[in-house]
Amino acid sequence: MIPRVVVCRFLCIDLNSQPKYIADYQLLIEQDPIQALNESTSSEENEMTNNVKVAGVGMIPFTKPGVSDDYPVMGETAAKLAIEDAGISYDEIGQAYVGYVYGDSTAGQAALYGLGMTGIPVVNVNNNCATGSSALFLARQAVEAGMVDCALALGFEQMVPGALGAIFTDRPNPLKRMFKEMLNLQGIDKNAPGAAQYFGGAGREYAEEFDTRTETFAKISEKARRHAANNPFAVFRDPLTVEQILESPHIYGPLTRFQCCPPTCGAAAAVVCSEEFARKHGLNNAISIKGQAMTTDFPSTLEEHSMRKLVGVDMAKEAASQVYEQAGIGPEDVQVCELHDCFTANELLTYESLGLTPEGTAEKFIWDGDNTYGGRVVTNPSGGLLSKGHPLGATGLAQCTELVWQLRGDAGDRQVEGARNALQHNLGLGGACVVTMYSND
């Protein structure tokens, strides 16, 4: 954004009629150029952060693999729902960012062309399990920077049954560094899914330090099923007891089968726009994005030799810290949260990473019921990844959709009373973490 403004001023210089441009240009070159650009960028970010709105959201019911529509149909349907929810037409979308993990290049165009071939930029996004929120992050940036007034973020996934695995075996795996560190820390169980070993190992490490009971991890899954019972978009809506969860087949560490999210097919979308666009179109139901940050791995991921660090707790902490500062809203002011509960262990770790409860207190937070209705912050009212399902490219935008519904008061039987501020956390190994704060003020 800044280089474009500087170039514009340079091209508009007129020695006779526009001396103010000369003064601006001289001011920039008299300062340290990097400092000038950084200060200008920081100023614009601070001015614009709170001006991006979520004007519309949409998602389709998530399903088990093999029974869903093909991805172009799922994606088109979710995008159409979001655009209709915003009350605009597809012609008013200036750019689109489409996320998916397992699919061919330009699958985003294949999904959107059913809505029209308008010639807009369509950017395909792949960032592992943080893909959906990465698409949202890019769409929000485009609007915030003034490149477009309105943008679409879409995510979908058409998955196959079974645990996640590598697709390309003839080239280095992107998780090679992480895999080597996991091997050094805890070895490899050839009978357990790889993702479960990462997060199960992190949960076991936490439990050993803080003497956490296995029942505590299961309690998270019990809560997920209870919340999902009220969500018609969720895959698993039948309740389970802690005992049933613990009796399901053991997977790794503290994890049993009912503590692992299922492979899922689905799609979700969000329309984001500027405050001016919302006002011009009378979009009075739009929800504000008060803060958003994306982080990737820090040296601590590998250098501190901790399974918890390896699965991204520091990415989450830093992203959350940035968002709280941007929004001027702390964790104590959050009423509802959708976080990345790919495994119960990660939900437990994330309570502390996001500052919802102090380090070492997650077990008390869970058993006191502070993570559910009547407690301090209702976590994953949708049922989360554990029960709603986890179509990788769609998850971040499904989280967004749920939180927008909550802040509008449109969540039906899942509604969190008095919800004003909502927090979202979406994580992918390899790695990326996106944290977002929404508000209905």
Side-chain angles (χ1 to χ4, degrees):
M1 183 66 178
I2 300 306
R4 185 181 66 173
V5 173
V6 174
V7 170
C8 179
R9 285 175 172 168
F10 177 77
L11 291 174
C12 292
I13 288 176
D14 186 323
L15 294 177
N16 296 315
S17 61
Q18 299 291 343
K20 66 177 182 293
Y21 289 134
I22 297 174
D24 289 339
Y25 183 69
Q26 287 176 339
L27 177 62
L28 277 172
I29 63 174
E30 286 171 5
Q31 296 182 48
D32 174 75
I34 301 301
Q35 178 183 353
L37 289 175
N38 286 341
E39 288 176 356
S40 183
T41 302
S42 176
S43 174
E44 290 201 2
E45 285 178 350
N46 289 337
E47 289 174 4
M48 293 190 292
T49 294
N50 295 334
N51 292 337
V52 179
K53 304 283 188 178
V54 182
V57 293
M59 65 179 291
I60 63 173
F62 288 178
T63 66
K64 295 180 181 180
V67 297
S68 72
D69 288 322
D70 287 333
Y71 75 85
V73 176
M74 292 192 292
E76 178 184 337
T77 303
K80 184 178 181 180
L81 288 169
I83 291 167
E84 290 177 348
D85 186 50
I88 63 172
S89 68
Y90 183 60
D91 289 343
E92 293 175 279
I93 300 294
Q95 292 182 5
Y97 298 86
V98 185
Y100 54 92
V101 176
Y102 296 113
D104 292 322
S105 184
T106 70
Q109 283 90 325
L112 290 178
Y113 281 175
L115 299 176
M117 293 183 177
T118 58
I120 63 169
V122 176
V123 180
N124 293 274
V125 181
N126 183 340
N127 224 5
N128 251 353
C129 299
T131 291
S133 285
S134 297
L136 179 64
F137 180 87
L138 293 169
R140 187 268 310 163
Q141 276 194 329
V143 172
E144 184 178 78
M147 303 303 295
V148 293
D149 293 322
C150 187
L152 173 70
L154 168 64
F156 54 75
E157 209 70 59
Q158 185 173 342
M159 300 186 71
V160 297
L164 300 180
I167 300 298
F168 301 105
T169 58
D170 62 341
R171 64 203 70 182
N173 189 300
L175 294 178
K176 182 178 179 179
R177 293 180 180 85
M178 287 72 178
F179 181 85
K180 182 179 179 180
E181 177 67 4
M182 180 173 70
L183 178 64
N184 292 335
L185 289 173
Q186 64 182 30
I188 299 296
D189 183 345
K190 294 182 179 180
N191 297 315
Q197 293 184 60
Y198 280 102
F199 289 99
R204 181 173 60 192
E205 180 184 276
Y206 180 97
E208 289 173 352
E209 179 172 351
F210 296 106
D211 196 25
T212 309
R213 293 172 288 166
T214 55
E215 292 85 356
T216 299
F217 293 93
K219 184 71 173 172
I220 293 171
S221 189
E222 182 271 334
K223 181 262 300 175
R225 288 298 188 103
R226 180 162 29 89
H227 288 183
N230 294 317
N231 187 0
F233 295 88
V235 174
F236 294 133
R237 300 180 62 192
D238 294 332
L240 290 173
T241 65
V242 168
E243 291 72 24
Q244 288 173 313
I245 293 164
L246 289 174
E247 289 170 0
S248 65
H250 179 256
I251 302 298
Y252 191 87
L255 302 177
T256 59
R257 176 177 292 174
F258 289 149
Q259 298 182 62
C260 307
C261 68
T264 317
C265 299
V271 173
V272 296
C273 67
S274 65
E275 192 170 39
E276 181 181 355
F277 183 94
R279 184 167 51 248
K280 178 181 177 181
H281 290 76
L283 308 181
N284 300 319
N285 212 22
I287 297 300
S288 297
I289 296 179
K290 305 294 284 187
Q292 188 177 56
M294 177 191 290
T295 53
T296 56
D297 285 292
F298 298 98
S300 59
T301 299
L302 299 176
E303 293 178 0
E304 295 193 15
H305 306 303
S306 160
M307 287 302 300
R308 282 173 282 174
K309 303 286 186 178
L310 195 60
V311 299
V313 295
D314 284 350
M315 289 195 293
K317 286 179 182 178
E318 177 57 27
S321 176
Q322 291 181 29
V323 165
Y324 294 145
E325 183 176 356
Q326 290 172 17
I329 299 169
E332 68 280 358
D333 298 316
V334 172
Q335 291 80 42
V336 57
C337 175
E338 284 280 318
L339 60 79
H340 198 88
D341 60 326
C342 49
F343 300 90
T344 55
N346 200 48
E347 176 159 339
L348 183 146
L349 296 174
T350 305
Y351 292 148
E352 298 182 8
S353 298
L354 298 179
L356 301 179
T357 191
E359 184 178 8
T361 66
E363 184 167 57
K364 184 177 188 302
F365 183 77
I366 292 164
W367 288 100
D368 285 352
D370 281 334
N371 60 350
T372 189
Y373 296 88
R376 203 181 66 71
V377 53
V378 181
T379 307
N380 291 335
S382 68
L385 285 62
L386 288 168
S387 294
K388 181 176 80 265
H390 183 26
L392 308 188
T395 285
L397 286 156
Q399 292 176 322
C400 170
T401 297
E402 175 68 22
L403 294 178
V404 167
W405 285 339
Q406 289 287 345
L407 292 176
R408 288 179 180 172
D410 292 339
D413 292 338
R414 303 186 309 284
Q415 185 61 50
V416 176
E417 294 301 322
R420 303 181 311 279
N421 303 312
L423 186 67
Q424 177 189 354
H425 161 271
N426 190 199
L427 177 80
L429 290 178
C433 181
V434 183
V435 174
T436 309
M437 182 75 75
Y438 305 89
S439 179
N440 61 9
D441 61 359

